[in-house]
Amino acid sequence: MSSHADSKPWTVPALAEAKRNGDKLVMLTAYDAGFARVLDANGVDLILIGDSLGMVVQGQDSTLPVTVADVVYHTTAVSRVLQRALLVADLPFGADATPERALDASLQLLRAGAEMVKIEGAGFKLDIIRHLVEREIPVCSHLGLTPQSVLRLGGYKVQGRGEAGELLRRQAREVAEAGASLLVLECVPTPLAAQVTAESSIPTIGIGAGPGCDGQVLVLHDFLGLDSGHRRPKFVKDFLAEGGSVAGAVRAYTDAVRAGTFPDAEHAYAS
Ligand code: KIV
């Protein structure tokens, strides 16, 4: 059960309040109005227009070819139907390479209906986060496995193991200090994600990061059990099989996240 009223639209300050109240945040990706309407009506708090659209909608091998125009197109479609969920849109690869580019891309996304933009990484991205936040653009950070780093990483692998855990904890502090309002942690060992969450002044949303985060996100196609043509990550669960319909799947997911029963150990990395 969440203390945020079912009919009340989510706002950025309400996310911080949810963390203070210990209410879990439920997030899914969506790319079109049809699915977004079902998610919004069945208790999803945050919808992400992820650059995962490159892989699950466009059939690309990675998220790297996705453009700002692509994200704007899907953001426009989804934003038309939302009544309650807060809409977050990804800054695709290269769109956050400089403060000027990031501001221009973010303004396009906000004009399309996004209420927050997501940025992968820390380092020089801290200046970008500050640049946007100072200009009243809410930012969601994304740390751990950042799919836009796939060429450098050489694949999609669990991040933060061993000594790299200290770096992740520092980056999490830095993005919050730079002004981010939300932090996605992807493919991070459960104990590390729980520690980052306990230390973090902003809500964390896990994907492959265990049950200790303040909320959870999944890619819509994974959550519906669709074959993406790529190796299925350990943290993915087919909620359509459990829920019996798209609306039933969304309710099964929101209930499980709020009750803390998803993700369980089978869908997380113990170390
Ligand atoms: O692009 C995306 O869908 C994402 C999620 C995996 C968090 O970034």
Side-chain angles (χ1 to χ4, degrees):
M1 193 57 190
S2 156
S3 37
H4 192 84
D6 283 351
S7 55
K8 210 163 118 190
W10 277 94
T11 60
V12 175
L15 301 176
E17 201 181 316
K19 181 172 172 92
R20 283 194 296 276
N21 293 339
D23 292 338
K24 293 274 187 186
L25 293 165
V26 182
M27 188 179 204
L28 276 172
T29 70
Y31 315 96
D32 66 41
F35 280 106
R37 199 179 271 115
V38 181
L39 270 47
D40 192 51
N42 287 282
V44 172
D45 305 318
L46 296 129
I47 290 183
L48 171 66
I49 313 294
D51 59 0
S52 51
L53 72 88
M55 297 169 85
V56 299
V57 178
Q58 298 175 338
Q60 315 263 18
D61 272 346
S62 75
T63 60
L64 303 186
V66 175
T67 65
V68 175
D70 293 334
V71 185
V72 165
Y73 175 86
H74 292 280
T75 302
T76 305
V78 167
S79 74
R80 286 193 180 117
V81 300
L82 296 189
Q83 305 283 326
R84 177 179 177 274
L86 190 110
L87 187 53
V88 184
D90 260 338
L91 281 182
F93 184 55
D96 55 5
T98 67
E100 294 73 25
R101 288 176 74 160
L103 179 60
D104 177 64
S106 301
L107 291 175
Q108 292 186 55
L109 295 173
L110 260 59
R111 284 184 196 119
E115 295 162 285
M116 184 179 283
V117 299
K118 181 161 76 59
I119 298 182
E120 292 187 9
F124 84 91
K125 301 286 180 75
L126 298 172
D127 283 340
I128 312 276
I129 296 169
R130 272 189 287 271
H131 192 74
L132 297 182
V133 172
E134 281 165 4
R135 285 155 185 80
E136 308 295 358
I137 298 173
V139 171
C140 171
S141 282
H142 183 157
L143 297 175
L145 172 57
T146 47
Q148 292 174 15
S149 315
V150 64
L151 298 178
R152 177 175 58 80
L153 296 175
Y156 301 103
K157 302 170 190 167
V158 177
Q159 302 294 309
R161 284 182 166 145
E163 288 177 7
E166 285 310 307
L167 174 63
L168 189 85
R169 287 175 64 202
R170 196 187 75 213
Q171 290 176 332
R173 275 195 306 276
E174 288 172 346
V175 296
E177 281 163 15
S181 303
L182 200 60
L183 169 58
V184 168
L185 293 173
E186 180 165 353
C187 283
V188 173
T190 296
L192 177 62
Q195 187 178 19
V196 168
T197 300
E199 292 169 353
S200 177
S201 57
I202 59 175
T204 62
I205 306 283
I207 173 163
C213 297
D214 297 309
Q216 296 294 327
V217 60
L218 283 177
V219 169
L220 181 70
H221 292 56
D222 293 341
F223 152 92
L224 294 174
L226 293 176
D227 180 4
S228 66
H230 298 272
R231 193 169 56 84
R232 201 180 157 88
K234 184 180 198 278
F235 55 81
V236 167
K237 180 171 171 187
D238 176 355
F239 278 92
L240 185 58
E242 186 173 321
S245 66
V246 176
V250 176
R251 284 194 295 269
Y253 173 66
T254 55
D255 288 352
V257 171
R258 294 221 170 91
T261 54
F262 179 81
D264 53 15
E266 189 191 335
H267 297 96
Y269 304 96
S271 60

